């Protein structure tokens, strides 16, 4: 069981390779560990896989209608496990959950750690065990997400309030928001209108959209500092 109090996680959400590489480099520069919940394969994802000392690859299955991962729980899980056969952890896209889904996860996959539960800024979080017909699922709630901060009327660009919160602290970042230093959803939507589909955007076109000053990137750097000074953070497989 991990003794770390912090853990950084990234929901890849079909980010282009230049974005994944840029975020990975920020983590590597500070020897901070992270779990990347994968939506697709690419050369950048292979580069993450090669850094097993720092990074864990989990799956980020999309169970929503219209998913490119498949139509049923079984299909989506089969598709995602094909992407990351070594995965033991998951977070559902849009934190989709159901009892029948978890029964399927335990029956059909080696996934035994789930981080799909969001408990905003809650103190005294600890890993939880959920017995299911196919075995025990470790539940590792996350307490902060970049999209959650962006939903606030007045986002707080200061992580110090979280540093001293007692209990396990798992943070969720989306690589695209770190890369762009997103400051609001309105600005993010404007970027998408200017660049077209972000998953196909070139580094050159995206770079021109990066915001300066306080935003998700500055929070990411703060989170890196906090986690680095606390020992580098935990990845999901350590909770098995
Ligand atoms: Zn997602």
């Amino acid at each position: 069981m991990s003794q770390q109090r912090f853990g950084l996680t990234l929901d890849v959400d079909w980010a282009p390779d230049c974005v994944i590489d840029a975020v990975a480099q920020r983590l590597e520069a500070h020897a901070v560990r992270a779990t990347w919940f994968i939506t697709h394969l690419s050369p950048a994802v292979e580069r993450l896989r090669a850094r097993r000392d720092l990074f864990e690859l989990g799956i980020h299955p999309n169970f929503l209608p219209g998913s490119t991962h498949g139509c049923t729980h079984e299909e989506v899980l089969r598709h995602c496990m094909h992407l990351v056969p070594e995965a033991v952890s998951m977070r559902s896209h849009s934190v989709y959950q159901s009892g029948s889904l978890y029964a399927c996860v335990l029956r059909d996959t080696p996934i035994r750690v789930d981080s799909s539960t969001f408990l905003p800024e809650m103190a005294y979080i600890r890993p939880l065990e959920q017995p299911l017909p196919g075995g025990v699922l470790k539940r590792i709630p996350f307490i902060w997400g970049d999209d959650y901060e962006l939903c606030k009327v007045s986002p707080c660009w200061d992580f110090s309030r979280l540093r001293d919160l007692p209990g396990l602290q798992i943070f969720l970042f989306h690589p695209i928001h770190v890369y762009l230093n997103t400051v609001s959803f309105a600005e993010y939507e404007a970027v998408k209108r200017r660049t077209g589909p972000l998953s196909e955007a070139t580094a050159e076109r995206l770079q021109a959209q990066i915001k300066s000053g306080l935003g998700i990137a500055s929070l990411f750097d703060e989170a890196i500092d906090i986690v680095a000074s606390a020992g580098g953070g935990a990845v999901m497989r350590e909770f098995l």
Side-chain angles (χ1 to χ4, degrees):
M1 177 62 66
S2 175
Q3 298 303 309
Q4 297 280 338
R5 269 210 325 121
F6 298 98
L8 286 189
T9 63
L10 294 129
D11 290 2
V12 170
D13 279 13
W14 303 274
D17 275 10
C18 61
V19 168
I20 295 173
D21 283 333
V23 174
Q25 282 159 17
R26 288 166 108 125
L27 293 162
E28 287 169 331
H30 295 86
V32 165
R33 310 175 78 205
T35 305
W36 297 73
F37 293 111
I38 298 299
T39 48
H40 64 287
L41 289 183
S42 75
V45 170
E46 294 308 322
R47 287 189 280 278
L48 297 177
R49 201 194 302 268
R51 289 303 310 263
R52 197 181 144 84
D53 55 321
L54 279 185
F55 302 146
E56 173 177 336
L57 303 191
I59 59 170
H60 193 52
N62 180 10
F63 298 103
L64 303 181
S67 169
T68 55
H69 289 164
C71 295
T72 64
H73 291 163
E74 287 84 352
E75 256 181 50
V76 171
L77 287 169
R78 201 178 312 125
H79 178 92
C80 291
M81 289 310 302
H82 185 69
L83 302 178
V84 193
E86 72 273 31
V88 295
S89 64
M90 66 176 272
R91 177 181 294 134
S92 296
H93 184 57
S94 291
V95 297
Y96 175 98
Q97 300 177 49
S98 78
S100 64
L101 166 62
Y102 287 124
C104 187
V105 166
L106 271 286
R107 188 189 66 223
D108 292 354
T109 79
I111 301 290
R112 293 295 178 272
V113 183
D114 174 76
S115 183
S116 302
T117 299
F118 179 41
L119 301 171
E121 303 191 33
M122 187 167 171
Y124 299 106
I125 296 286
R126 59 182 172 80
L128 302 163
E129 290 194 350
Q130 180 178 1
L132 285 155
V136 174
L137 186 64
K138 275 278 168 69
R139 310 295 300 270
I140 310 295
F142 63 102
I143 63 145
W144 182 90
D146 52 11
D147 47 356
Y148 152 75
E149 197 66 48
L150 292 170
C151 283
K152 292 181 182 173
V153 176
S154 300
C156 178
W157 305 122
D158 177 1
F159 244 18
S160 55
R161 71 186 188 284
L162 295 177
R163 185 175 40 215
D164 301 323
L165 198 71
L168 179 64
Q169 297 184 51
I170 304 296
F171 303 136
L172 153 64
F173 286 91
H174 293 87
I176 191 69
H177 292 319
V178 174
Y179 185 90
L180 294 171
N181 191 26
T182 304
V183 295
S184 72
F185 279 125
E187 176 58 31
Y188 179 58
E189 291 304 318
V191 168
K192 285 200 280 190
R193 281 196 297 276
R194 289 195 290 268
T195 61
L198 291 173
S199 58
E200 294 158 27
T202 62
E204 213 172 32
R205 275 169 79 189
L206 278 181
Q207 250 163 26
Q209 307 297 327
I210 294 173
K211 281 281 205 189
S212 58
L214 296 175
I216 298 303
S218 63
L219 283 184
F220 187 65
D221 288 339
E222 257 194 82
I224 282 180
D225 282 346
I226 291 171
V227 176
S229 62
V235 292
M236 289 293 141
R237 61 173 176 260
E238 289 170 59
F239 296 108
L240 274 174

